Structure formats: C-alpha cells, structure tokens
C-alpha cells in the first residue's frame, strides 16, 4: 500500500481536497482508502443504538455489520492512541491510502495552506511535506506550490512521487 498525507491547519480545506482526490483516483480505477485523524473525541454511533449500549457497557470492541457495510469501533479506555503505523495494517489492501492529519508521522505529505491567515506554512519546519496546495504567500518555501483548485495536477504530483 502506498500512503500519502494531506495536512494543514484548521479550516484550510484538507477534507475537501481528500474528497476530490478520492474521486479522482477511484475514477482512474485505483482502490483508495482513507484514514482521518481527529484531535478530540468523536462518536460514530449515538445513544439509543445497540452498538452504543454495547460500548458504554464496557465492550473493548464493537463490530456492527449489515448487508451494506460493517464498522469496527475500538475503545482505548485510557490506553495510548495508536500510531498511524499500527492502524494501516487494519485496512483492507488498497492501491493508495490517503491520510488526513498525522502531521508528525513520517509518510510523505502535501500541506493545504491558504496564505493571509497569519501563520507560516508547516512546510518550513516539516521535511515530510513534499508540496503545498494553495498559496505559500510571502513565505519562501523549498517545496513546489500547487493550485488547490487543480486536483488533477495534485493527483499527478502524488502519482509521480509514489510511482503509482
């Protein structure tokens, strides 16, 4: 599996780019999976669902299955958050895994950056960032700067970098 990351500060357009890249790559016939890192707690089910009752009762893992999909939820219950390298083997085989977040992991990444929001690009201090999608603004960066609106060019960059 080839792994490529999309990172950036809050509200820069990371999820939108990931969605467009998934659409682009799957239209090309690639099998694509995604991993999304959330900084806060999140719920994939809610009170009133059987799975929620199983989980809140203390189950360490709850698997929900239907004719259309299945989902596995694991409760950490105070254990440390798994590293990206621990999560990747849990995925089914894919041609490409797009990872939103995990900016400190060692996989290659594109930073979504919109100049004028006051903070410098993360690429200035993160050598795993191979390009910027957006606007580097007044900052001098060593990485290529790609148009955030040109998904095909961003996809070609990723394809070349990963030899897909």
């Amino acid at each position: 599996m080839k792994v490529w990351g999309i990172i950036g500060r809050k509200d820069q357009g990371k999820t939108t780019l990931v969605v467009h890249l998934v659409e682009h790559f799957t239209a090309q016939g690639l099998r694509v999976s995604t991993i999304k890192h959330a900084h806060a707690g999140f719920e994939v089910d809610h009170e009133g669902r059987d799975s929620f009752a199983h989980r809140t009762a203390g189950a360490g893992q709850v698997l929900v299955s239907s004719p259309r999909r299945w989902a596995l939820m694991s409760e950490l219950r105070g254990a440390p958050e798994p590293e990206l390298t621990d999560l990747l083997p849990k995925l089914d085989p894919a041609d490409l895994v797009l990872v939103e977040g995990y900016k400190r992991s060692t996989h290659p990444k594109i930073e979504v950056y919109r100049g004028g929001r006051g903070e410098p690009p993360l690429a200035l201090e993160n050598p795993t960032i191979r390009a910027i999608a957006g606007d580097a603004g007044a900052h001098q960066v060593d990485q290529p700067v790609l148009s955030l609106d040109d998904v095909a060019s961003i996809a070609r960059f990723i394809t070349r970098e990963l030899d897909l």
Side-chain angles (χ1 to χ4, degrees), residues 19-132:
V19 167
H20 290 311
L21 287 170
V22 169
E23 292 168 343
H24 179 89
F25 285 125
T26 57
Q28 302 287 320
L30 294 177
R31 293 171 301 160
V32 180
S33 293
T34 64
I35 293 179
K36 163 75 172 122
H37 185 260
H39 291 283
F42 64 93
E43 294 293 337
V44 293
D45 61 354
H46 55 84
E47 193 168 351
R49 308 307 299 179
D50 294 344
S51 57
F52 186 90
H54 296 184
R55 194 167 50 86
T56 57
Q61 288 191 309
V62 177
L63 191 144
V64 181
S65 181
S66 78
R68 293 188 181 187
R69 72 186 57 88
W70 67 270
L72 175 63
M73 295 171 281
S74 296
E75 286 293 317
L76 295 177
R77 306 240 185 258
E81 179 181 1
E83 297 291 330
L84 178 60
T85 54
D86 298 324
L87 298 173
L88 287 168
K90 296 182 183 301
L91 294 174
D92 288 340
D95 299 308
L96 175 63
V97 178
L98 292 173
V99 177
E100 183 178 340
Y102 287 96
K103 62 185 161 206
R104 290 179 190 87
S105 293
T106 60
H107 62 284
K109 302 165 190 71
I110 287 178
E111 177 181 0
V112 177
Y113 181 80
R114 297 177 189 270
R117 296 211 177 171
E119 297 186 86
L122 299 168
L124 294 173
E125 296 183 7
N126 186 333
T128 65
I129 297 172
R130 303 285 173 79
I132 292 178

